[in-house]
Amino acid sequence: MTFRLCLLALVCLSANLESMAQTAHRDPIRLTHGPMLGVPTDSTVRVWARTSDAGEFEVHYGTAADKLNQISSPGTTSIDHDLTGWLTLTGLQADTRYHYQIWVNQRPHGLPGSFITLPSKEESRNAEYNPAGLFNFRFQIGSCANQNPLHGAGHRMTTYEHLNADWADKVHFHIMNGDWLYEELRTFPAEAWRLIQGVQENPKVVEVAPTIVGVWENYKLYLSRGVELAKWHRHVPSMFTFDDHELVNDIWGSGEAGKRHRRTVFRDIGTQGWFDYLGWANPMAFDHPVHFSTGAMKAGSDVLYDAEADFSAMPIHEMSNLHVHWGTPEAGVNDMVFDDDSGAANSYVYDIVEVIDPHRLRLHMPAKVDDESISYSIGRRSYGNYRVANCEFYILDTRGHRDMHDVSQRDKPGVSMLGQAQHDWLLKTMKVSDADFHFVISSVPFMIPHSGAGGFEADSANKEEAWTGFFDEREKLINAWDAMGKKVFVMTGDLHNSFAIKVTDNVWEFCCGPHNSVNHVPDLDESGRPATGKWKFGPREMDIRWSSYLLPDLPRMERMYPHYCVVQINNVFNMPQQLGGKRLVAFPHPQVIFQYFDGRTGELAYSETVSIDH
């Protein structure tokens, strides 16, 4: 019997027993998944947990594993976020190893964890030799961690074995740059989910978008099955981008007004699931949640009516556009057989033209048919920046606002990967920052095309995931960054290879991965780029300093060469007047060291060092 049939049988059996179950007592609330750690500072860290029922949890923590003598304020989990929640530990000491454990129902739950706080500017400062209070730190970055043994290396995840053994106690944080999960369990029935949670009514988000439960189940599967992955997240604070697989593979044109496609309008459902399980860990420039609701549209009218909404109270100008959902059970499934036209007739991407009144929005185009109960959402902006010492990190959303590309005109003016609002925010934020080093976290490649590995549109030749479908915007960004005179490192993923590319004297790309996915073949998937050397694709030549590279004669299941990258920022050296002391002296020209490691062996594969110009 298939898994889906088993679930349907469970639903039928549970329905027959539901009246009895409603009167029975559930087990006491317990921890089911987590903990995970997010966005560290010199005095705070976030802690995430999922519980079996809605309720509270707390964190017991301290500087010794056998003395967890501090207790956090409680965090709360809620059914509308699949029983997930997070809290912030505050008042921590800088540059200190902490140990902690989740407590639920006045008992310790799950496995213990630990983390190290960032050094502080105040404690690093030396009036004569380090007046800016700089310090050294490390972070790890990677992407693409497919656990499905039918499509990759499977559950063992040797990359995370080496990360846990060699780096968990040495890096300050981790950036997972997209494709943390790949689509599984996406047709999990909403009714089965409701019965398992023991609630009598679904929360609104499940009523509006029932396919979100498949996304939630997908995350729980990866946390439960990925033992080394879960261990890593218990010990190393992380931040995350979402790429296509957190939403649905090859999702294009979510910012393209008038676009109609099953995958395109799954954006907000996937984004909400990502935020519940991963996105909570990120700094956000705008923290307005996705708005899910139902409304009415009439054929020929450009007005959406929602009696339950108050659009006049919503920060529409700080949110994204509006999507009417596809509405089929397979909306979030990665299978081309479902890329048909069976979705709701009014399922399109809509620009919001104006708020007419609390219950009505004017959209950029009229509805196709009358529909008194359309499921829709208004998206969030899922990007933000994060400062550590003299480094600024810009965590981008390269999927949620992108226009539809056209590989027959890659340099078409005005076509945007980021959307105008995010594009303007990025350049403005970078220009006002006094950081020496700028890390732009883009989940998709910057200089190398990702033009193979399939494609689902009617014109399959239009496959393109990378910035190489957006030359106009990319070149404007490179020129603006060059004019800043600072070092800009575009940290990328999505392609299942690693590479270090010098773009200009100031601009570099470092693609990091895959952590656990089958490698791509450059001849097939990356437009035939070389392993190293000068290469030109589009208007600009690049210098590929190093890359992981596979020959095209390897069968798919032999293409297992994962990589991960550890980045070390060297701002200071310690030169105390007495051995064993501390006196941090700033380098006149600080350096950033990018170290690539083989995910199967843990051995160093390549290193590149970039310093401030002399």
Side-chain angles (χ1 to χ4, degrees):
M1 184 180 290
T2 66
F3 179 71
R4 182 166 174 78
L5 288 175
C6 289
L7 287 174
L8 291 175
L10 172 65
V11 170
C12 293
L13 177 63
S14 299
N16 292 333
L17 300 175
E18 185 168 7
S19 60
M20 183 184 300
Q22 287 175 358
T23 62
H25 293 291
R26 286 173 62 83
D27 290 340
I29 183 173
R30 67 190 186 281
L31 184 75
T32 66
H33 298 83
M36 292 196 287
L37 300 166
V39 64
T41 71
D42 58 10
S43 62
T44 65
V45 73
R46 295 178 187 173
V47 185
W48 175 96
R50 183 186 184 274
T51 56
S52 58
D53 290 277
E56 292 187 345
F57 68 96
E58 59 189 17
V59 177
H60 291 220
Y61 61 103
T63 56
D66 60 351
K67 194 175 182 181
L68 306 182
N69 55 2
Q70 300 181 67
I71 303 175
S72 71
S73 299
T76 303
T77 64
S78 61
I79 190 65
D80 54 329
H81 296 287
D82 196 30
L83 302 171
T84 67
W86 57 275
L87 57 79
T88 302
L89 301 184
T90 60
L92 305 176
Q93 301 173 37
D95 199 20
T96 300
R97 170 70 57 183
Y98 279 89
H99 302 266
Y100 73 99
Q101 180 144 30
I102 296 284
W103 279 54
V104 182
N105 218 9
Q106 300 181 331
R107 294 288 187 275
H109 280 241
L111 294 171
S114 68
F115 61 90
I116 186 170
T117 52
L118 285 164
S120 71
K121 179 178 179 179
E122 292 72 20
E123 294 179 11
S124 302
R125 181 182 289 114
N126 179 284
E128 183 176 0
Y129 296 108
N130 185 22
L134 297 179
F135 51 83
N136 301 335
F137 67 97
R138 291 191 189 103
F139 68 94
Q140 190 273 329
I141 185 167
S143 61
C144 306
N146 197 343
Q147 292 184 25
N148 191 332
L150 298 177
H151 301 288
H155 313 162
R156 180 179 171 186
M157 306 182 83
T158 58
T159 290
Y160 285 92
E161 290 179 358
H162 289 297
L163 285 173
N164 283 318
D166 300 337
W167 294 103
D169 60 348
K170 296 176 183 175
V171 300
H172 291 89
F173 59 91
H174 160 62
I175 298 174
M176 184 60 187
N177 199 9
D179 294 341
W180 185 93
L181 54 65
Y182 287 64
E183 302 89 336
E184 298 184 54
L185 306 183
R186 290 297 183 95
T187 57
F188 197 94
E191 179 65 1
W193 176 88
R194 182 186 70 81
L195 292 169
I196 291 169
Q197 312 320 313
V199 295
Q200 295 191 22
E201 294 183 359
N202 282 324
K204 183 175 182 179
V205 65
V206 176
E207 288 297 311
V208 174
T211 50
I212 196 172
V213 305
V215 181
W216 287 336
E217 295 300 317
N218 199 170
Y219 280 105
K220 285 179 280 195
L221 174 67
Y222 266 52
L223 278 173
S224 299
R225 191 171 63 186
V227 174
E228 292 292 328
L229 174 74
K231 179 180 178 181
W232 175 255
H233 288 306
R234 285 199 307 274
H235 293 281
V236 180
S238 299
M239 290 169 285
F240 304 85
T241 62
F242 57 79
D243 198 46
D244 54 343
H245 291 288
E246 281 86 3
L247 310 182
V248 61
N249 185 41
D250 289 356
I251 181 172
W252 301 336
S254 292
E256 183 75 24
K259 183 166 176 58
R260 174 176 172 82
H261 200 284
R262 171 180 72 90
R263 301 177 187 240
T264 301
V265 295
F266 198 75
R267 177 197 65 189
D268 295 336
I269 300 170
T271 299
Q272 185 59 53
W274 169 82
F275 190 86
D276 294 334
Y277 277 84
L278 302 179
W280 57 270
N282 286 17
M284 293 286 182
F286 302 93
D287 208 15
H288 310 304
V290 177
H291 171 73
F292 289 96
S293 193
T294 56
M297 303 177 78
K298 294 187 179 298
S301 170
D302 60 3
V303 174
L304 179 145
Y305 175 78
D306 184 347
E308 296 184 3
D310 185 355
F311 297 122
S312 61
M314 294 172 57
I316 295 291
H317 65 290
E318 293 182 351
M319 298 177 72
S320 188
N321 53 11
L322 184 146
H323 287 186
V324 172
H325 301 157
W326 199 246
T328 64
E330 300 81 17
V333 175
N334 180 22
D335 190 332
M336 287 184 287
V337 71
F338 300 117
D339 291 324
D340 53 24
D341 198 38
S342 63
N346 290 324
S347 181
Y348 288 86
V349 175
Y350 295 88
D351 280 346
I352 299 172
V353 176
E354 67 169 324
V355 176
I356 300 173
D357 58 38
H359 304 303
R360 294 186 300 161
L361 292 176
R362 188 176 309 283
L363 307 177
H364 84 282
M365 70 177 194
K368 303 298 181 183
V369 300
D370 290 350
D371 191 338
E372 294 298 316
S373 184
I374 60 108
S375 294
Y376 76 94
S377 54
I378 302 174
R380 62 173 298 142
R381 298 190 190 176
S382 301
Y383 52 86
N385 59 306
Y386 174 65
R387 181 67 177 258
V388 183
N390 59 341
C391 301
E392 196 90 47
F393 294 81
Y394 309 88
I395 302 174
L396 302 184
D397 170 4
T398 64
R399 294 289 179 177
H401 312 284
R402 73 157 72 183
D403 296 331
M404 188 61 204
H405 64 270
D406 181 354
V407 297
S408 69
Q409 193 178 358
R410 293 176 180 268
D411 60 351
K412 184 177 180 179
V415 178
S416 176
M417 169 83 75
L418 301 177
Q420 194 63 52
Q422 185 178 194
H423 176 102
D424 292 347
W425 167 87
L426 175 63
L427 286 182
K428 179 181 178 181
T429 307
M430 293 181 76
K431 287 177 181 177
V432 300
S433 172
D434 63 352
D436 293 321
F437 301 113
H438 298 262
F439 293 87
V440 178
I441 315 300
S442 162
S443 69
V444 295
F446 198 60
M447 299 300 294
I448 303 292
H450 183 182
S451 53
F456 65 85
E457 296 279 0
D459 177 11
S460 61
N462 200 38
K463 164 78 174 184
E464 183 56 88
E465 306 299 311
W467 286 88
T468 45
F470 302 83
F471 281 145
D472 179 59
E473 182 174 42
R474 190 194 73 175
E475 292 302 301
K476 288 176 180 176
L477 288 174
I478 293 173
N479 292 334
W481 295 339
D482 249 350
M484 287 168 49
K486 303 288 186 71
K487 298 301 180 187
V488 178
F489 308 119
V490 189
M491 310 299 294
T492 62
D494 189 54
L495 266 178
H496 299 176
N497 276 309
S498 289
F499 41 81
I501 297 176
K502 185 176 182 180
V503 182
T504 72
D505 286 342
N506 289 324
V507 181
W508 295 70
E509 178 182 3
F510 294 95
C511 189
C512 308
H515 272 180
N516 204 58
S517 301
V518 171
N519 291 71
H520 287 134
V521 178
D523 278 2
L524 303 176
D525 306 321
E526 302 170 29
S527 296
R529 57 94 176 168
T532 58
K534 299 290 182 66
W535 190 58
K536 186 175 183 180
F537 187 89
R540 186 180 294 269
E541 187 177 64
M542 69 196 79
D543 181 4
I544 304 174
R545 308 286 281 247
W546 169 86
S547 72
S548 60
Y549 191 89
L550 280 76
L551 296 175
D553 61 352
L554 270 66
R556 175 178 174 83
M557 297 310 286
E558 298 299 320
R559 303 198 317 248
M560 306 290 185
Y561 293 91
H563 283 81
Y564 60 91
C565 184
V566 176
V567 183
Q568 180 170 320
I569 292 82
N570 279 350
N571 284 317
V572 298
F573 58 94
N574 190 26
M575 188 55 59
Q577 290 181 307
Q578 189 172 27
L579 287 175
K582 178 179 178 181
R583 182 175 59 172
L584 300 183
V585 180
F587 282 113
H589 302 280
Q591 319 101 40
V592 181
I593 306 170
F594 301 84
Q595 295 177 295
Y596 286 92
F597 294 87
D598 186 312
R600 295 170 68 241
T601 66
E603 295 293 321
L604 179 67
Y606 180 76
S607 180
E608 181 84 47
T609 300
V610 182
S611 64
I612 291 178
D613 294 334
H614 295 275

